[in-house]
Amino acid sequence: MIDTERHKGKRRLLLDSLREKGIWCERTLEAMMKVPRHVFLDSSLEDLAYSDQALPIAAGQTISQPYTVAFQTMHLDIQPGDKVLEIGTGSGYQAAVLFYMGAKVFTIERQLELFNFSKLILTKLGIRYTGKYGDGNEGMPAYAPFDKIIVTAGASRIPPQLLHQLKPGGRLIIPIGEGVQKMTLIYKKSDKIFTAKALGDFKFVPLLEDKTV
Ligand code: SAH
């Protein structure tokens, strides 16, 4: 759990490279500077923690590429105090970034191993959040509505419950498609009016549909 000057130096270089790739939101980059990505990874991957790539975590899943984390975070336009729901806790890295954006974080994971692992790391880092072990397609009705929702697994369709649990004026970012996904930003104008914008191609592990966890 040690975050050394060497780690911080590598992190700064990674963030510089994200700026060059078009990440313009300094608040997002500042939040990412606060999160030691290497502690979310197996120690054998430590040397790769600050390269801009997705990496394997437990249960055959992946921690998203830093560019993708930055991209999804900045497009949500998170304001301090926003209630943000994440689907696909995975390692917990994205949840930590949301926390440092000032969000009240809610996150769902369907793999028990990752639910437990992320809890351990996030707690050690002093990050406050509400986690649920279950199917993200259902959202978290007990805590709804949310200002922002982020889906960090590739979905074949938009889960209707997530649209329902979004506040009017809220945003949902979700990668949609099989194999390659179109990053889709949904803006909920009112209970009945939504607009959607495609923001480019990304690759995620699939959002599982089944309810048995
Ligand atoms: N945000 C994560 C990366 C997640 S990878 C991070 O920062 O590390 C996608 C995650 O979504 C995986 O952990 C996978 O187990 C989870 N997932 C897939 N289908 C799901 C579902 N229906 N509900 C909740 N989590 C799901």
Side-chain angles (χ1 to χ4, degrees):
M1 294 302 276
I2 301 167
D3 191 25
T4 63
E5 283 310 312
R6 190 174 141 266
H7 292 120
K8 286 181 192 150
K10 285 180 140 193
R11 201 138 79 233
R12 234 169 253 121
L13 291 177
L14 169 64
L15 299 179
D16 285 345
S17 79
L18 298 185
R19 263 187 211 98
E20 278 163 24
K21 290 177 188 171
I23 301 297
W24 41 259
C25 175
E26 285 301 320
R27 284 201 306 128
T28 298
L29 294 168
E30 271 166 37
M32 288 176 72
M33 188 63 211
K34 292 185 181 144
V35 185
R37 189 171 185 253
H38 64 280
V39 308
F40 293 87
L41 293 165
D42 188 90
S43 57
S44 65
L45 295 171
E46 182 168 337
D47 285 348
L48 295 175
Y50 298 106
S51 62
D52 189 20
Q53 58 178 301
L55 291 166
I57 52 175
Q61 305 302 319
T62 54
I63 183 171
S64 303
Q65 186 183 340
Y67 175 80
T68 306
V69 171
F71 189 91
Q72 287 196 283
T73 306
M74 83 175 176
H75 282 289
L76 280 178
D77 188 30
I78 291 166
Q79 300 303 317
D82 273 359
K83 276 172 73 180
V84 181
L85 173 65
E86 177 193 25
I87 310 303
T89 317
S91 66
Y93 176 76
Q94 172 77 68
V97 173
L98 296 171
F99 174 80
Y100 285 117
M101 293 294 289
K104 292 196 188 83
V105 181
F106 299 81
T107 180
I108 309 176
E109 173 57 51
R110 76 181 291 284
Q111 302 281 352
L112 187 58
E113 196 182 350
L114 287 168
F115 171 78
N116 288 329
F117 171 83
S118 56
K119 183 145 101 186
L120 189 78
I121 304 289
L122 291 169
T123 307
K124 276 192 189 161
L125 290 174
I127 286 165
R128 292 180 300 279
Y129 74 106
T130 303
K132 177 180 164 187
Y133 166 53
D135 181 9
N137 289 290
E138 308 286 313
M140 271 205 217
Y143 296 96
F146 299 97
D147 296 286
K148 313 280 159 69
I149 301 179
I150 174 173
V151 180
T152 67
S156 52
R157 62 185 183 120
I158 302 169
Q161 274 306 316
L162 300 186
L163 288 180
H164 183 65
Q165 290 174 28
L166 197 58
K167 275 187 198 170
R171 291 178 182 214
L172 161 68
I173 193 157
I174 178 168
I176 303 177
E178 270 148 40
V180 173
Q181 292 86 32
K182 284 257 174 280
M183 189 65 79
T184 309
L185 181 65
I186 312 250
Y187 177 65
K188 181 170 183 174
K189 281 193 162 162
S190 69
D191 280 335
K192 293 211 175 86
I193 304 174
F194 296 87
T195 59
K197 203 156 117 188
L199 299 174
D201 290 344
F202 288 80
K203 240 178 134 67
F204 283 82
V205 292
L207 179 74
L208 299 171
E209 286 276 350
D210 61 302
K211 287 177 186 154
T212 48
V213 287

